Amino acid sequence: MMPSLFIAHGSPLLAIEDNEYTQFLMQLGKTMPRPKAVVLFSAHWESRAQKVSNVDQYSTIYDFGGFDEALYQIQYPAHGDEQISKEIEGLFTKSGVPFEIETQRGLDHGAWVVLRLLYPNAEIPVISMSVNSSLTPEEQYKIGKALSSLRAKDILIIGSGGTVHNLRALKWIDNGEADQWALEFDDWLAHHLQKWDLPSLFKYDSLAPNAEYAVPRYGSEHFIPIFYAMGASDDNRKAALIHRSFRYGNLSHSVWQFG
């Protein structure tokens, strides 16, 4: 059974950096079972309606500015898979999840930075999915749960975002140390994820220490992909933190494996 993953996509600079985290992701792509396809929920694709991509070949979206020119030269020409997109449509219909099909949109950096580190040759089909921060965590979890049967077909489901993501709090002069408030939030989260404590997790914004800093209201779209990824493993409620590090004081590089 393929697990589902939550992967922090960090700064776009990860695409050209060689560090502890990029090395981990590259090794993860080599050691995990090879998926038939990847279904990826990206924090950088927000939509009120749940979007399901049905794209033959993706363009590469550079949804950032002011970074190294080398980033804008990167291409990740992944292909889609019409059959799997159709299967997702059927699963959503069966579960009562409203959705819309997207046939044009490329892959944003929340998707291609992660995918390029895992699967640099862009040879694995990708189904790109939007997220909706106006939904409740229970509703986001339900969307992921609707896709849980795909894991038995060797399809990898990824939520791409960040457990602690507050751009206004970043320290661009990085001394390698994580801020205490970020650690406290992430430790609370880890405790409740490992217990699969959904009642507490669904109320993280009022229960978790420093939640207002770790998941600011203007940036909750980076946190919520974790609920989509969790829901996809509802049938095997196991959570393991397989990597955690921080950059710029509080930007989390967490990878959670579910199932």
Side-chain angles (χ1 to χ4, degrees):
M1 178 76 75
M2 189 70 67
S4 58
L5 298 173
F6 174 81
I7 301 179
H9 61 248
S11 161
L13 290 171
L14 286 178
I16 57 174
E17 290 179 331
D18 180 13
N19 56 42
E20 173 191 3
Y21 187 44
T22 60
Q23 291 171 15
F24 172 81
L25 290 178
M26 288 188 288
Q27 187 62 28
L28 181 63
K30 295 175 183 177
T31 56
M32 278 188 58
R34 189 172 182 81
K36 175 183 177 183
V38 176
V39 175
L40 188 145
F41 292 87
S42 174
H44 285 273
W45 187 9
E46 289 192 88
S47 174
R48 290 286 180 171
Q50 177 60 54
K51 299 282 192 176
V52 180
S53 68
N54 189 347
V55 173
D56 179 25
Q57 183 169 359
Y58 291 95
S59 59
T60 305
I61 301 174
Y62 309 101
D63 51 335
F64 46 79
F67 287 94
D68 191 305
E69 182 61 28
L71 284 174
Y72 304 92
Q73 306 305 315
I74 293 173
Q75 298 284 323
Y76 192 78
H79 289 267
D81 187 304
E82 184 174 7
Q83 182 178 345
I84 296 174
S85 293
K86 293 291 186 184
E87 187 168 0
I88 291 171
E89 293 178 39
L91 292 172
F92 280 161
T93 299
K94 182 179 178 180
S95 298
V97 175
F99 65 90
E100 297 177 358
I101 304 302
E102 170 57 54
T103 62
Q104 300 295 323
R105 190 179 190 275
L107 294 176
D108 58 70
H109 85 271
W112 64 259
V113 168
V114 168
L115 291 170
R116 186 169 176 268
L117 288 166
L118 293 173
Y119 308 113
N121 296 324
E123 76 278 26
I124 295 176
V126 176
I127 312 300
S128 186
M129 310 284 283
S130 67
V131 300
N132 184 353
S133 58
S134 68
L135 297 179
T136 65
E138 293 94 332
E139 291 169 323
Q140 294 151 357
Y141 187 96
K142 176 186 175 183
I143 291 171
K145 183 178 178 180
L147 304 181
S148 60
S149 63
L150 296 177
R151 294 171 38 245
K153 300 180 179 182
D154 295 328
I155 295 173
L156 176 61
I157 299 173
I158 297 176
S160 172
T163 56
V164 181
H165 187 275
N166 185 340
L167 298 182
R168 298 174 186 173
L170 297 185
K171 300 173 180 176
W172 292 106
I173 299 177
D174 194 352
N175 62 6
E177 297 181 3
D179 292 338
Q180 186 63 31
W181 63 265
L183 288 171
E184 289 174 357
F185 174 85
D186 224 41
D187 287 345
W188 181 95
L189 180 64
H191 174 75
H192 292 280
L193 285 172
Q194 288 162 348
K195 292 172 60 179
W196 212 274
D197 179 6
L198 295 180
S200 296
L201 291 166
F202 289 165
K203 297 180 180 178
Y204 76 90
D205 55 346
S206 59
L207 295 179
N210 312 310
E212 69 277 17
Y213 298 111
V215 189
R217 292 191 182 277
Y218 70 84
S220 64
E221 76 284 345
H222 276 76
F223 183 74
I224 61 173
I226 204 164
F227 293 124
Y228 296 88
M230 279 191 81
S233 288
D234 180 78
D235 54 349
N236 187 8
R237 295 184 168 191
K238 297 178 182 178
L241 180 61
I242 60 175
H243 179 88
R244 184 173 83 163
S245 56
F246 288 85
R247 293 285 298 280
Y248 314 119
N250 50 69
L251 183 65
S252 64
H253 287 167
S254 298
V255 180
W256 282 92
Q257 179 174 305
F258 303 117

